[in-house]
Amino acid sequence: MARLAGRIAIVTGAGRGLGRAHALFLASEGAKVLINDLGADLFGQGVDKSPAQQVVEEILAAGGEAVASGHDVADWEQAQAMVRLAIDTFGGLHVLVNNAGILRDRALANMNEGEWDSVIRVHLKGHAAPTRHALAYWRDQAKAGARVQTSVIHTTSTTGLFGNYGQANYGAAKLGIVGLSRITAIEGEKYGVRSNAISPSARTRMLDSIPGMTERFPKPTGPDANDMFDPANMSPLVGWLAEAECPATSQIFHVIGNRVFVIAPPTIASEWVHDGNRWTPAALE
């Protein structure tokens, strides 16, 4: 039996890469899926409706249900319209997978304001705006007496968790998404809303755009080759988190190949107490 039968999901940035893999997996498990993709290039330029529509056609050809969306998820009103499209088309909403993103890599000392703002906008605001409108819908459902069992799945990165040269904008946004996910879990708990973040290691346009990455992580060849960086390796976790009875919330997962890591939140490494009322520089030294 399909594990997501009757579930309705939105996947942002679903025209290619990770988002496409997630959307296809959710649909294969019985979910009805809104495929959102602005169709921009890796740097956020341009608009192309065809990637989202192609994924819709794949799902329809396999017997599933899907609809395309070209909404800009980082625009507050368009994010609301996207959520409303899913509800009006399929009769509700149970799952939001925030995945859309772009890159503008540059060392911070050389980065311009536009490169900073665009990445923060698409990643962080592009996660926050859809979450805000989905959360409001679920809150209203819960207050009306409906049983809400819903899930928000955010996309973070090891760059946000551990850092990476030349990605200050991207890393700041991705760590901000961790905070957004945790607060969504806190605020959504009383309404039946869960929220988790995943950090994928996958071969995508973003990974391939980083100098040296295609050489470092070549795609294996041969009919029996196991590609540990296939984006589809991430999608079963997304599917599990999307299930109504999934218990996970306020977690950070990292996935690479057939391995799943649960990442602990920041913890206190040590504590020091000064004998006086206030620390002095000499005592701190």
Side-chain angles (χ1 to χ4, degrees):
M1 181 177 178
R3 297 175 68 99
L4 295 173
R7 301 286 275 177
I8 298 163
I10 291 172
V11 183
T12 72
R16 304 178 180 90
L18 284 166
R20 174 181 175 274
H22 299 340
L24 292 175
F25 185 87
L26 294 176
S28 73
E29 290 292 333
K32 302 173 183 179
V33 189
L34 182 145
I35 309 298
N36 166 263
D37 203 296
L38 193 61
D41 65 17
L42 185 61
F43 307 104
Q45 304 295 321
V47 175
D48 182 1
K49 296 181 180 179
S50 60
Q53 190 58 46
Q54 287 170 5
V55 178
V56 168
E57 290 171 3
E58 285 186 69
I59 292 172
L60 296 178
E65 295 186 52
V67 66
S69 154
H71 296 95
D72 179 356
V73 294
D75 179 285
W76 218 250
E77 292 183 356
Q78 289 195 47
Q80 182 180 30
M82 178 186 68
V83 169
R84 179 47 56 186
L85 176 61
I87 296 166
D88 291 345
T89 302
F90 299 123
L93 180 65
H94 306 103
V95 181
L96 171 63
V97 182
N98 287 316
N99 170 75
I102 64 171
L103 285 181
R104 294 285 181 87
D105 289 358
R106 196 179 302 278
L108 185 57
N110 298 321
M111 187 176 294
N112 63 47
E113 186 176 10
E115 290 165 338
W116 176 270
D117 288 348
S118 61
V119 170
I120 297 296
R121 178 184 183 275
V122 175
H123 284 277
L124 188 52
K125 190 177 180 183
H127 276 54
T131 302
R132 184 267 182 222
H133 295 297
L135 193 58
Y137 169 69
W138 293 327
R139 176 203 61 199
D140 293 345
Q141 279 195 312
K143 287 186 175 181
R147 186 186 183 199
V148 175
Q149 292 177 291
T150 61
S151 174
V152 185
I153 302 158
H154 306 271
T155 308
T156 184
S157 168
T158 53
T159 296
L161 299 171
F162 306 112
N164 191 38
Y165 185 91
Q167 292 191 312
N169 47 5
Y170 180 74
K174 287 303 191 183
L175 189 55
I177 286 167
V178 172
L180 172 67
S181 179
R182 290 196 178 279
I183 292 169
T184 301
I186 293 168
E187 295 183 356
E189 181 180 11
K190 62 182 177 181
Y191 305 125
V193 180
R194 296 177 295 103
S195 178
N196 294 279
I198 61 171
S199 164
S201 287
R203 182 179 290 100
T204 64
R205 288 192 302 167
M206 284 190 181
L207 183 71
D208 288 346
S209 73
I210 300 172
M213 284 297 170
T214 54
E215 293 79 17
R216 185 178 176 187
F217 303 109
K219 188 173 183 178
T221 58
D224 299 323
N226 179 29
D227 185 0
M228 67 184 302
F229 293 101
D230 186 338
N233 295 338
M234 316 295 124
S235 301
L237 174 61
V238 172
W240 177 66
L241 292 172
E243 293 182 18
E245 301 295 338
C246 177
T249 192
S250 198
Q251 301 296 315
I252 307 169
F253 298 92
H254 179 72
V255 185
I256 178 169
N258 62 354
R259 304 173 72 186
V260 175
F261 302 84
V262 181
I263 297 177
T267 58
I268 297 172
S270 61
E271 180 184 7
W272 302 85
V273 180
H274 184 44
D275 291 339
N277 293 326
R278 180 178 299 162
W279 281 94
T280 65
L284 289 166
E285 185 181 19

